[in-house]
Amino acid sequence: AQSVAQPEDQVNVAEGNPLTVKCTYSVSGNPYLFWYVQYPNRGLQFLLKYITGDNLVKGSYGFEAEFNKSQTSFHLKKPSALVSDSALYFCAVSSNAGNNRKLIWGLGTSLAVNP
Amino acid sequence: DAGVIQSPRHEVTEMGQEVTLRCKPISGHDYLFWYRQTMMRGLELLIYFNNNVPIDDSGMPEDRFSAKMPNASFSTLKIQPSEPRDSAVYFCASSRDREGTGELFFGEGSRLTVL
């Protein structure tokens, strides 16, 4: 069965420091990987996706993520965190196996960037 | 484009009452998704439509829930009768792409409280 895990419920980082939000997955076939961000009382917003190609994907607001097939990971990163990056981050995965592209969501990681 | 529009933003009702949530997707998006978000269960797909036709309703929790999409610019999610355990934030999302392959555009959500 397909699954996705965000092992950290919360990540705290100081403003200006690099940040990493972790995501690991398990799928049959090749993965399609996504990151979304949710600000308080708002809907989710797309950050970036990996379907194929370069393992390093660049997205919105200076975020990037690296697809690592051997470690089945897709960690979200940013070189220098901003206080405004504080939000809930969701990793999601589907795959190209079969006809079902069902998107599986992680439970989210709350990122707090401290001034 | 105005994005995905949901109404109402907040709904407080009493157990047993009918609740109707509304969604206007982004024009030109062929796919429409209804999600439910709770602290306990995270983000759950309830149902999705392609070209106004329900494709997968396996996530609809029980017969009390129903969804319709009478045309390309409007969808409803109805709960009748409502129960306290239905309290959650309900999101509508639309996309140009089938589930699990492309970017989802979320509305701001409808926060439902059933007393």
Side-chain angles (χ1 to χ4, degrees):
Chain A
Q2 297 186 159
S3 65
V4 60
Q6 294 182 241
E8 300 157 318
D9 290 337
Q10 180 150 349
V11 170
N12 293 288
V13 63
E15 187 176 27
N17 283 2
L19 71 86
T20 298
V21 183
K22 296 179 180 178
C23 174
T24 59
Y25 64 89
S26 175
V27 299
S28 301
N30 295 319
Y32 298 165
L33 294 152
F34 303 83
W35 277 103
Y36 285 80
V37 60
Q38 185 179 27
Y39 298 101
N41 300 312
R42 303 293 297 277
L44 281 73
Q45 297 177 35
F46 173 82
L47 282 177
L48 50 80
K49 70 178 179 183
Y50 172 84
I51 302 294
T52 186
D54 193 348
N55 289 346
L56 184 64
V57 179
K58 294 189 182 296
S60 307
Y61 311 123
F63 284 93
E64 59 188 28
E66 185 166 13
F67 169 61
N68 188 318
K69 187 173 183 177
S70 62
Q71 297 187 5
T72 61
S73 67
F74 190 57
H75 301 331
L76 182 70
K77 299 182 179 183
K78 187 172 182 180
S80 178
L82 300 172
V83 173
S84 57
D85 292 329
S86 300
L88 191 57
Y89 290 81
F90 291 93
C91 180
V93 64
S94 67
S95 83
N96 66 352
N99 196 39
N100 186 355
R101 298 284 189 270
K102 188 172 181 64
L103 194 60
I104 307 299
W105 294 85
L107 293 178
T109 298
S110 178
L111 173 66
V113 181
N114 306 306
Chain B
D1 200 315
V4 176
I5 299 172
Q6 291 187 246
S7 65
R9 288 295 312 276
H10 302 274
E11 174 94 3
V12 180
T13 190
E14 293 188 346
M15 183 174 64
Q17 297 298 306
E18 178 179 294
V19 173
T20 299
L21 308 178
R22 299 173 176 79
C23 175
K24 176 179 169 56
I26 293 173
S27 177
H29 285 190
D30 293 333
Y31 292 86
L32 182 139
F33 306 82
W34 281 102
Y35 284 91
R36 178 171 68 177
Q37 184 179 39
T38 61
M39 290 292 292
M40 292 297 295
R41 300 172 68 92
L43 202 62
E44 302 173 278
L45 176 66
L46 300 177
I47 185 171
Y48 82 91
F49 296 82
N50 177 214
N51 292 326
N52 314 337
V53 176
I55 301 301
D56 182 357
D57 65 355
S58 59
M60 296 286 263
E62 47 197 274
D63 292 345
R64 297 185 297 107
F65 286 69
S66 62
K68 294 182 179 181
M69 192 166 185
N71 57 63
S73 59
F74 184 66
S75 177
T76 59
L77 178 67
K78 187 174 293 187
I79 308 172
Q80 167 64 20
S82 58
E83 297 182 3
R85 59 191 168 125
D86 301 331
S87 297
V89 182
Y90 291 82
F91 288 103
C92 176
S94 69
S95 177
R96 297 182 187 88
D97 306 298
R98 60 180 295 188
E99 188 195 12
T101 60
E103 177 180 353
L104 293 169
F105 294 78
F106 283 81
E108 298 284 85
S110 294
R111 181 176 296 275
L112 173 65
T113 303
V114 183
L115 303 175

